[in-house]
Amino acid sequence: MAAATTAIQPQDPPAAERAPAPPSGDRRAVALAAVYYLLGALAVTLWLWRDPATRTVLGNPNDADQLAWFLRYDAAAIAHGHLPALVTTAMNAPQGVSVMWNTFMLLPGALLTPVTLLLGPQTALTVFMTAGFAGSALAMFFVLRRWDVSGPAAVLGGAVYGFSPAVLHSAIGHYDLQFAVLPPLIIHVGLRLATGRTTVMRGGLGLGLLVTAQLFITEEILAATAIAGVVMVTVLAASRPRAVPEAARRVTAGVAVAAGVTAVLAGYPLWVQFFGPLGQHGSPFTLDYFKSDLSSFVVPSSYQLFHTAGSGAAAARYQGQLPEYLGYLGWPLLVVLVLAAIACWRRLPARAAAVACLVLGVFSLGGTLLFGGHHHPAIKLPWYWLQGLPLLESALPDRFSLVADGAAAALLAFAVDAAVPVFAAFVASCPPRPGLAGLGLARPGLARLAVGWRPVAVVMAGAVLAVLPIVPKPLPVAAATPVPAGWSAAFAALRLPPTASVLVVPVPMSTFTEPLRWQADTGEPRSLVGGYFMGPGPHGRGYIDGTGTPPAGLYLNAMWIFSTDGLPRALAAGAPPNAHPGVAGYVSVKSVTNTRMREQIKAWRVSAVVAVAKPGTRLGRYLTVLLGTPAVVTGNVTAWRIPSSLR
């Protein structure tokens, strides 16, 4: 992941004597790199910035709607002077959801509250994504410079990590994964602690703060980062066994300090997550789910600048689709990384980065081999024996690629630094040829390339050629689902109390997230039935949408599909109506009697039903028979107040 370390030397002087503050030149270099990376991030997110309030990255609207909802949830709580509740009925009323099991993003949500309240949650997500690209690159640049990598090599390493294919494809709705700023910093502080480059107290405090911050962004990447750190420290220990006893005492003390910091700042949220109401266990995914296809390492998707129609189509067929297509690096970079690992093996930093890159890359392949879209269950890989362990069972293997790309970036940077003096010595050793100096051909072979050039420029040019296949193109965008005409007016006319919950039709679920987007954009309703979330299902095991949407909800969603003038996204994209999950639910339940529907509405304990449908549509007529004359009809929204007999 981040840069590895030099030799473990317990006899070194105290860190305070060996780690002076960076000179002003380094600070200027960081500032200049930040500008360049920000320009690169703006280029990748260019089409989003044409209308940041309404545009989202094409390809994963459901996850984008969910994250927009959580940003609104965070901002609304902070605007009222308190942190968001860890268990809330703002979604999935009346049971509620435990937000720590979901993409809560408390830290980004809190920091982006002014943007969310003033400009909307989608603008906040666009700001967050842009910061993710630029910040991830800058974090890696900073770490590499602190481990004595030269400026040009650090700039390249930062760019390779911050704009890597894994980070790029995570931008397709997985904003929490795409913000990969903290993993390099976490490993950097951990390695400084292991090598004695910082004191136990300072290193432990820094590590605890960074771990807590990552915990409140996404726990999954924190777990992958921890595994990467363990791999790197293991390489250090195996390489310098005599230094292990003292280093172990130092690391143990530092980790204890870090654990104390995390316990103080995040202990209660973690207790609520694992032992509080709506706690869950296990994973909603089957073991070995969403793993990288071995062929994906060399097949670029349509989101890369250099790709073919065939490679783009092959990537789109991947089992997890493009949001999970994280493994690609390209043949040139893979070859360079292998050569770099061999040539730089005696250099401990490069060795640690190389081993971490290899181990994490293998983990990303899952427990059994997937190659060219075909499963080979007989070929078992290391993750096969790890994926069932507690906590790790919730990890998706392909996401190890995010951390593996960081290790690849560090290895590349170390290799560039190592290659410059070697190439300079090669040029100097080439005997000149009299009579050709005037033509600029005084030296034979490859040495001619260096005539009039600094060796670093030639080496950097070769490295840039190796990374050209992973250069991204501007992300394609789509319009987020607009708020229906009359939505806000309907809630204003209903005058519901703040604690009232509402049944919105379509009933939100993992395949119907439009109501979450409408709630995120307007703040109405404050509590709604259903949602898109992780929650405990049967026997407390975690599932998407918890126990699922009851048959009455599926029936209402199917009726909405056949009634609405504005077709849902899946249908508007060309899918036949009977292919939509809501229609499948309609077919499975056939019909729901009026008595059963009233019983379900009573079980939901709602104060109102708000349907995005006009009174004359099939859905509008059905609900009128069921609930009586609508209380509000405005725009494309029809609403009913629910009598106390149905609550």
Side-chain angles (χ1 to χ4, degrees):
M1 171 16 116
T5 179
T6 56
I8 301 177
Q9 298 176 347
Q11 70 275 17
D12 285 350
E17 298 177 14
R18 292 182 286 100
S24 59
D26 278 0
R27 289 194 290 270
R28 286 194 296 269
V30 171
L32 188 60
V35 172
Y36 289 142
Y37 291 144
L38 179 59
L39 291 175
L42 291 173
V44 174
T45 59
L46 177 64
W47 306 128
L48 290 170
W49 283 107
R50 294 183 64 179
D51 189 358
T54 64
R55 289 174 180 246
T56 184
V57 178
L58 179 69
N60 189 6
N62 295 333
D63 284 342
D65 290 347
Q66 183 196 53
L67 285 163
W69 189 95
F70 274 108
L71 285 192
R72 169 64 70 175
Y73 173 69
D74 294 338
I78 292 172
H80 287 86
H82 59 82
L83 289 175
L86 299 175
V87 177
T88 178
T89 56
M91 186 192 295
N92 194 40
Q95 292 85 4
V97 297
S98 177
V99 296
M100 288 295 292
W101 284 108
N102 289 273
T103 51
F104 184 26
M105 294 210 309
L106 173 61
L107 180 59
L111 296 176
L112 291 168
T113 289
V115 181
T116 301
L117 296 178
L118 293 174
L119 303 175
Q122 188 57 51
T123 299
L125 287 175
T126 300
V127 170
F128 186 56
M129 178 185 295
T130 306
F133 284 118
S136 301
L138 185 63
M140 179 58 74
F141 171 83
F142 171 80
V143 168
L144 291 172
R145 290 292 290 148
R146 295 293 284 172
W147 288 92
D148 302 322
V149 172
S150 66
V155 168
L156 181 64
V160 167
Y161 173 63
F163 298 90
S164 68
V167 173
L168 178 74
H169 288 88
S170 293
I172 311 174
H174 294 160
Y175 295 83
D176 54 329
L177 303 177
Q178 184 266 344
F179 190 83
V181 175
L182 298 184
L185 301 177
I186 291 172
I187 293 183
H188 167 62
V189 174
L191 291 178
R192 283 174 60 83
L193 187 63
T195 56
R197 293 192 172 199
T198 186
T199 63
V200 167
M201 186 58 64
R202 177 180 295 180
L205 287 173
L207 186 61
L209 291 172
L210 289 169
V211 166
T212 303
Q214 183 62 57
L215 187 71
F216 288 127
I217 299 173
T218 176
E219 296 175 343
E220 187 172 8
I221 296 304
L222 178 59
T225 303
I227 291 173
V230 169
V231 171
M232 285 188 159
V233 170
T234 301
V235 173
L236 300 183
S239 302
R240 301 291 186 269
R242 296 175 60 183
V244 168
E246 183 174 341
R249 289 192 293 270
R250 186 169 54 247
V251 169
T252 301
V255 170
V257 173
V261 172
T262 302
V264 170
L265 298 177
Y268 178 68
L270 289 174
W271 185 91
V272 171
Q273 178 178 359
F274 291 102
F275 305 106
L278 299 178
Q280 62 187 55
H281 62 85
S283 170
F285 305 104
T286 58
L287 294 180
D288 214 19
Y289 195 74
F290 282 171
K291 58 187 177 182
S292 291
D293 189 313
L294 183 60
S295 65
S296 69
F297 285 95
V298 295
V299 178
S301 79
S302 59
Y303 283 63
Q304 309 300 148
L305 184 61
F306 300 105
H307 70 278
T308 65
S311 71
R317 291 193 297 268
Y318 167 64
Q319 59 165 356
Q321 301 182 343
L322 291 181
E324 299 288 346
Y325 195 77
L326 309 181
Y328 176 68
L329 285 175
W331 278 115
L333 183 55
L334 287 173
V335 170
V336 168
L337 291 175
V338 171
L339 294 177
I342 296 172
C344 302
W345 186 254
R346 298 185 63 182
R347 298 168 63 96
L348 188 50
R351 187 189 314 166
V355 173
C357 182
L358 176 62
V359 170
L360 296 169
V362 172
F363 281 178
S364 76
L365 294 172
T368 56
L369 184 65
L370 174 66
F371 180 66
H374 299 287
H375 291 271
H376 300 275
I379 303 178
K380 293 180 172 56
L381 303 171
W383 188 248
Y384 179 84
W385 291 276
L386 298 175
Q387 60 186 341
L389 297 177
L391 298 182
L392 292 184
E393 64 182 350
S394 298
L396 298 180
D398 64 327
R399 295 177 181 180
F400 281 107
S401 296
L402 283 159
V403 193
D405 283 2
L411 175 59
L412 179 65
F414 285 122
V416 168
D417 261 4
V420 170
V422 172
F423 188 75
F426 165 72
V427 173
S429 66
C430 292
R433 292 186 177 180
L436 297 179
L439 300 177
L441 301 175
R443 300 183 187 278
L446 294 176
R448 299 173 187 172
L449 296 174
V451 176
W453 291 81
R454 296 177 58 190
V456 65
V458 178
V459 172
M460 282 295 296
V464 169
L465 289 176
V467 302
L468 276 181
I470 69 170
V471 173
K473 70 177 186 180
L475 290 164
V477 300
T481 303
V483 176
W487 177 269
S488 297
F491 284 101
L494 285 171
R495 298 180 182 178
L496 298 172
T499 57
S501 61
V502 176
L503 171 63
V504 173
V505 184
V507 182
M509 52 188 287
S510 58
T511 52
F512 281 91
T513 58
E514 293 91 339
L516 298 183
R517 171 68 66 171
W518 303 332
Q519 188 186 29
D521 286 341
T522 64
E524 296 288 354
R526 297 189 182 182
S527 175
L528 82 169
V529 170
Y532 174 25
F533 59 95
M534 298 288 186
H539 311 296
R541 186 173 182 84
Y543 288 96
I544 297 177
D545 295 348
T547 55
T549 304
L554 298 177
Y555 187 82
L556 289 172
N557 282 354
M559 192 174 293
W560 178 75
I561 288 178
F562 289 116
S563 299
T564 184
D565 293 330
L567 290 177
R569 284 181 295 239
L571 302 185
N578 59 3
H580 193 278
V583 179
Y586 174 80
V587 173
S588 68
V589 298
K590 302 299 182 183
S591 64
V592 175
T593 64
N594 289 359
T595 299
R596 189 175 178 185
M597 182 64 74
R598 290 191 181 98
E599 289 175 350
Q600 183 60 66
I601 291 175
K602 187 173 183 178
W604 277 323
R605 300 202 296 268
V606 295
S607 298
V609 173
V610 176
V612 182
K614 295 180 179 179
T617 61
R618 182 177 178 182
L619 175 61
R621 295 194 303 270
Y622 172 75
L623 291 174
T624 298
V625 170
L626 196 72
L627 304 173
T629 303
V632 177
V633 177
T634 175
N636 293 327
V637 177
T638 307
W640 291 260
R641 292 188 182 90
I642 302 303
S644 57
S645 61
L646 284 180
R647 296 187 202 174

